[in-house]
Amino acid sequence: MSVLVLVEPGDELSLQALGFARTLGDVRAVSVEGPYAPGAWAKTITAAAEGADAIVAAGSERGNEVLAHVAARLDQPFAANVTRIDGDVVTRVRWGGSLLEEARVHGSPLILSVAPHVHAAEPAGEPVETLVPDSSDESPRVVEHVAAATGGVSLAEAKVVVSGGRGVGSAEGFAIIEELAELLGGAVGCSRVVTSAGWRPHTNQVGQTGTKVSPDLYVACGISGATQHIAGCKGAKKILAINADPEAPILASADYAVIGDLHEIVPAISAELRKARGA
Amino acid sequence: MKVLTCVKRVPITGGKIVLTDDETAIRTLHLGFTISPHEECGVEEAVRIVEQSGGESVVLTLGPAEAEEQLRECLAIGADRAIHLVTDGEEWDPQATAAAIVEVVRAEAEPFDLVVFGNESADAGGYQVGIRVAYALGLPVVTGLKGLTVADGRARCEQESAGGRDVYEVSLPAVVTVLEGLNLPRYPSVPAKLRAQRKPVASSTPARPEPRLEKLRLVVPPGQGKQAEILGNGPGAAPAVVAMMQQIGVA
């Protein structure tokens, strides 16, 4: 099988997609020159993929977007976030990873993105071929980049995330969450309920529709553990749940748990940390 | 401005997903339903645009008869009318869904200036219906918006990217797909909910084409159902917690 793979230089997920694609057949790795322009990129890739049996990219925002453009252009099916292929049957991620789907693809070429972390990243090896998009293409492209105000530890990259849910009770209740996060040099997270209630900004939200985190330790305080939340924190090496309900679903995803009132437990942990450090 | 927002009825899955016996759907007997979170922000944004600049906000869904409940929720947020493409409950694949939406858009006497989708549905996560609709209609499309400003026949679209935001500018009409966090959707008031009951919902029953991405079976991935180690009860557990933190090297 001949496979065309979109590789974005320096992008870990596209090197994973490349590794996955090599298990399918003969790979031709390409990147596209110039500023990001999904429509123009897709046009170039579609032309380059003439005769290929499969077109593959990373299951990233960009990879999924470019392939959706390619598929729309060719009027062929597109399977996003695939974990496995068996003939014309793909296994793909649903519900942010809480569920998998087996689906038959009726079309050619096979157009699919590779779900993150199903295959190890592989070095590109031979030089990646650079495609040059049609300069007269007028489809939307990035015209400006606005830098974000920096400050604090980034949620996506934090080594520790201390997260609060409905059980925290109020915006003010997050003071103890912030205190523990600061002591651990970590970031504050929250569940969707908290964002919807306006207690914390959406930038703090961990979950399927928020930020996906992968810290060494994720502390879930007063979070019941809806699948939508777990989809955002299951990348953590260890999860500690602090919850009043010993039957809360979060315990089925946690490595450690403390049962009781987080308003007492969280400050006690902060105090114990200070004590351990001799402060 | 005439704005169309497309939404999808999905179950509120709660803590654990249980499948039907034939493994083709989620068992929803005891579950509530909602629309995908990204779409909720889409509906809110469309309503704000129309509140600000006048016009009409329309919501559309393709789904079972019960999905009228979700359309009424969108009407309570402030949409003016709804279009319901009624299915027998069987899921439609992305290409079929896009084709059905395109037909509706083409049938409108006065064209839409903006067609809004969620970036991806909460359940199927196909990342493509909005883009397919844009291609079929020959409209520009920008996805994953966290910021949208519409003025003078143009849309300024902001997308989060490494270290900040990427900005796109397109002329209308256009298709956009949005992400949760674009805005904070309002909670509809009781009078708004009552008004929503009287707003028009036009329904029709399109025929479902053969799927080209054909769902065969769903699988709950392994790894759910860990047994957490209980470090203790109440504040007395703090020393055990700190010991664990030291052991894994974060304290």
Side-chain angles (χ1 to χ4, degrees), chain A:
Chain A
M1 177 147 116
S2 64
V3 187
L4 185 111
V5 188
L6 172 63
V7 174
E8 286 198 75
D11 175 43
E12 169 79 11
L13 295 182
S14 57
L15 295 178
Q16 292 177 10
L18 181 63
F20 184 89
R22 283 188 177 139
T23 67
L24 303 179
D26 298 329
V27 162
R28 177 178 164 210
V30 301
S31 67
V32 187
E33 192 180 81
Y36 183 55
W41 284 29
K43 192 173 169 187
T44 311
I45 291 166
T46 306
E50 176 124 30
D53 300 308
I55 307 173
V56 173
S60 57
E61 292 296 336
R62 281 191 178 187
N64 283 327
E65 179 174 39
V66 171
L67 289 188
H69 278 262
V70 169
R73 194 167 262 292
L74 294 173
D75 194 23
Q76 291 297 326
F78 161 45
N81 292 312
V82 167
T83 63
R84 191 167 177 269
I85 302 183
D86 186 3
D88 59 355
V89 175
V90 297
T91 303
R92 57 177 298 272
V93 165
R94 280 191 168 226
W95 287 103
S98 309
L99 205 57
L100 297 173
E101 168 191 13
E102 291 172 9
R104 176 164 286 122
V105 182
H106 299 271
S108 176
L110 198 55
I111 304 170
L112 60 95
S113 67
V114 182
H117 311 301
V118 302
H119 199 283
E122 286 185 10
E126 69 276 11
V128 174
E129 186 183 335
T130 305
L131 305 176
V132 182
D134 177 0
S135 59
S136 67
D137 186 281
E138 289 182 345
S139 65
R141 65 196 55 233
V142 177
V143 293
E144 188 187 332
H145 182 79
V146 183
T150 50
V153 182
S154 139
L155 188 55
E157 283 150 27
K159 289 284 175 203
V160 178
V161 175
V162 185
S163 232
R166 191 196 299 269
V168 175
S170 65
E172 297 72 36
F174 270 84
I176 56 172
I177 306 287
E178 285 171 357
E179 183 192 19
L180 180 57
E182 201 183 317
L183 274 169
L184 293 166
V188 173
C190 70
S191 69
R192 185 160 184 266
V193 178
V194 167
T195 316
S196 303
W199 299 347
R200 303 292 297 187
H202 185 268
T203 47
N204 281 181
Q205 186 179 316
V206 172
Q208 188 182 338
T209 52
T211 303
K212 293 182 177 68
V213 300
S214 49
D216 291 338
L217 178 66
Y218 186 78
V219 187
C221 309
I223 293 175
S224 66
T227 52
Q228 119 96 357
H229 187 77
I230 302 300
C233 68
K234 65 180 177 190
K237 287 206 186 102
K238 297 286 179 190
I239 296 178
L240 165 66
I242 300 174
N243 210 292
D245 177 8
E247 302 295 319
I250 185 83
L251 267 70
S253 299
D255 301 275
Y256 308 103
V258 177
I259 309 302
D261 182 357
L262 72 93
H263 300 93
E264 295 172 4
I265 295 165
V266 174
I269 295 170
S270 295
E272 189 68 24
L273 272 171
R274 287 205 181 87
K275 204 171 92 187
R277 291 170 184 176

Side-chain angles (χ1 to χ4, degrees), chain B residues 11-49:
Chain B
I12 301 168
T13 50
K16 188 164 186 283
I17 290 179
V18 181
L19 298 178
T20 54
D21 291 338
D22 67 358
E23 298 181 322
T24 60
I26 292 177
R27 190 190 297 264
T28 55
L29 188 61
H30 302 293
L31 298 181
F33 287 83
T34 181
I35 61 174
S36 300
H38 300 319
E39 294 157 9
E40 223 176 285
C41 293
V43 174
E44 174 69 34
E45 195 71 15
V47 169
R48 287 186 193 184
I49 289 170

